[in-house]
Amino acid sequence: MSVATRFAEVYGHDPAGVWAAPGRVNLIGEHTDYNDGFVLPLALDRRTRVAAELARGATTVRSSREAEPVTFAAETVAPGEVTGWAAYVAGVVWAFRQAGLPVADLDLFVQGDVPVGAGLSSSASLECAVAVALCELTGTGLDLTEIAHLARRAENEFVGAPTGGMDQMAAMHGVADRLVFLDTRDDHVELIPFALATHGLRLLVIDTRAPHQLVDGQYGARRADCAKAAELLGVPALRDATVAAVESLTDERLRRRARHVVTEDERVLEVVGRLRAGKDPRAIGPLLSASHTSMREDFEITVPHVDVAAAVAEEAGAHGARMTGGGFGGCVIALVDAEAGDGVTGAVTAAYAERGWEPPVVFDAVAADGAGRA
Ligand code: GLA
């Protein structure tokens, strides 16, 4: 049933419209976005949809995943007042208000097909879908980056997840068959052609279904390590450090953390260079795999489920494979020849079965358009 139909069922009238925003996978550039570095995500063809209409007195949020509605007042809602999934909605309203922008109470119904808790930025997709709905219903004209910034503020300051800005920028700037090359220092965006099918390729997303959670301490601990390393190196952010300088750090843990970030930035630029030059995308495979090794050994954010998926995908013929997203679970991406995709999926599934693990869920990453009216 469509989200507009669900809305009409529960609210007794049609919505003013339906707005949607995509989840994302990051092709490469992990944990670089809060170091002023480079990232290269794509917006997925999986979206969170929000049917919305102006309301009186209170905002009501309902979701196809939740039995109970959540209510709050747009003019007064504050951090801590709304928790759980609806905090992403309330946080956006709050962020608009904090920025001095008009807000309004809304009736909302949320439905989508971005897997939740899989590291595919379902939260950013919800924030961005609500933000574009709010803009249109209040007549507020903002550009894509301004909306992404408000959505990120909701995540950081209302929900309390200390993330960088990649996910919301990908959800807003995504374009079909394009990668979003983002310089997180100034939020400059360049769209890079990425039409895999024309090269006989597929990008598999292997959802390992290992539980993943960003609000816990590990993500924040990595951020703190990176900030400390930048301070010791005397640079504004690790984006400004060289590999040689990083090797001079005496603290072994900080050296490894910083080495990941600095080499990851180099890999992103190398991938962009190869794709911009029109090279066969197979040429980026080794860089994807090197990114995974760096996350496993230097940044230490992988877990056995993702390491097994990446290694087995490569053994089964993938040109490259790496964990994507914040880490400690989530998804692995694998660049494969179109005809090899099913074999890779079968090999990873068999490896999981051997270990007594739940089977992974595998689908194709198809680069799609960013947020807007659905
Ligand atoms: C999460 C965060 C992003 C980014 C990635 C790691 O997805 O939300 O800002 O830091 O982790 O690259």
Side-chain angles (χ1 to χ4, degrees):
M1 207 188 290
S2 79
V3 68
T5 307
R6 297 293 302 270
F7 180 102
E9 261 182 18
V10 295
Y11 292 109
H13 57 87
D14 287 338
V18 175
W19 291 265
R24 63 99 188 89
V25 289
N26 189 16
L27 184 67
I28 194 163
E30 225 63 82
H31 286 261
T32 48
D33 64 348
Y34 54 80
N35 290 298
D36 277 5
F38 303 100
V39 293
L40 193 59
L42 58 88
L44 288 171
D45 65 347
R46 293 175 167 238
R47 303 166 85 75
T48 299
R49 292 181 176 74
V50 173
E53 172 64 293
L54 293 168
R56 273 172 194 275
T59 292
T60 305
V61 200
R62 296 173 196 264
S63 153
S64 55
R65 294 178 197 270
E66 308 289 332
E68 295 300 321
V70 174
T71 60
F72 60 86
E75 287 296 342
T76 58
V77 70
E81 193 185 316
V82 179
T83 55
W85 66 278
Y88 299 106
V89 179
V92 167
V93 175
W94 173 84
F96 271 63
R97 228 179 57 223
Q98 292 300 109
L101 297 167
V103 296
D105 279 313
L106 305 173
D107 286 334
L108 296 157
F109 198 98
V110 178
Q111 181 169 293
D113 59 2
V114 185
V116 170
L120 299 173
S121 297
S122 61
S123 60
S125 73
L126 174 55
E127 290 154 3
C128 290
V130 170
V132 290
L134 192 59
C135 276
E136 202 166 323
L137 290 171
T138 57
T140 305
L142 297 174
D143 67 27
L144 299 178
T145 297
E146 288 168 332
I147 296 174
H149 288 170
L150 290 166
R152 178 187 176 186
R153 186 164 181 191
E155 178 108 22
N156 291 168
E157 297 179 37
F158 194 98
V159 178
T163 56
M166 164 172 68
D167 307 339
Q168 293 81 7
M169 285 293 279
M172 294 308 304
H173 283 275
V175 173
D177 289 335
R178 298 282 188 277
L179 296 163
V180 179
F181 174 40
L182 173 67
D183 179 342
T184 65
R185 172 153 276 167
D186 59 6
D187 276 343
H188 178 77
V189 168
E190 178 186 342
L191 297 172
I192 308 283
F194 196 56
L196 289 178
T198 62
H199 292 274
L201 287 165
R202 294 165 63 187
L203 186 67
L204 302 182
V205 180
I206 304 167
D207 180 355
T208 67
R209 298 167 83 199
H212 130 117
Q213 180 58 268
L214 285 189
V215 193
D216 73 9
Q218 292 288 355
Y219 186 93
R222 294 303 181 282
R223 277 198 78 143
D225 281 353
C226 290
K228 183 74 193 160
E231 187 192 320
L232 290 171
L233 292 167
V235 290
L238 284 181
R239 181 248 183 78
D240 304 299
T242 62
V243 176
V246 162
E247 294 305 331
S248 74
L249 285 168
T250 51
D251 183 297
E252 212 239 324
R253 191 184 78 232
L254 294 182
R255 187 165 70 240
R256 283 190 285 121
R257 302 293 188 254
R259 190 197 291 137
H260 165 73
V261 173
V262 173
T263 60
E264 186 79 348
D265 271 339
E266 289 179 347
R267 284 184 288 269
V268 176
L269 296 177
E270 184 66 33
V271 166
V272 168
R274 290 182 191 188
L275 293 176
R276 262 204 210 116
K279 292 228 169 90
D280 182 340
R282 288 170 183 82
I284 70 172
L287 291 156
L288 303 184
S289 299
S291 168
H292 188 86
T293 303
S294 178
M295 290 190 287
R296 189 184 64 227
E297 292 180 2
D298 281 342
F299 219 61
E300 294 180 289
I301 53 171
T302 68
V303 294
H305 277 72
V306 304
D307 289 333
V308 167
V312 172
E314 272 191 55
E315 282 160 25
H319 297 290
R322 62 180 289 277
M323 188 191 75
T324 184
F328 309 101
C331 292
V332 165
I333 52 171
L335 184 66
V336 299
D337 288 332
E339 61 280 7
D342 293 349
V344 169
T345 301
V348 176
T349 304
Y352 273 37
E354 265 170 37
R355 290 165 176 78
W357 297 347
E358 294 276 299
V361 177
V362 184
F363 63 93
D364 279 82
V366 177
D369 287 340
R373 198 153 177 144

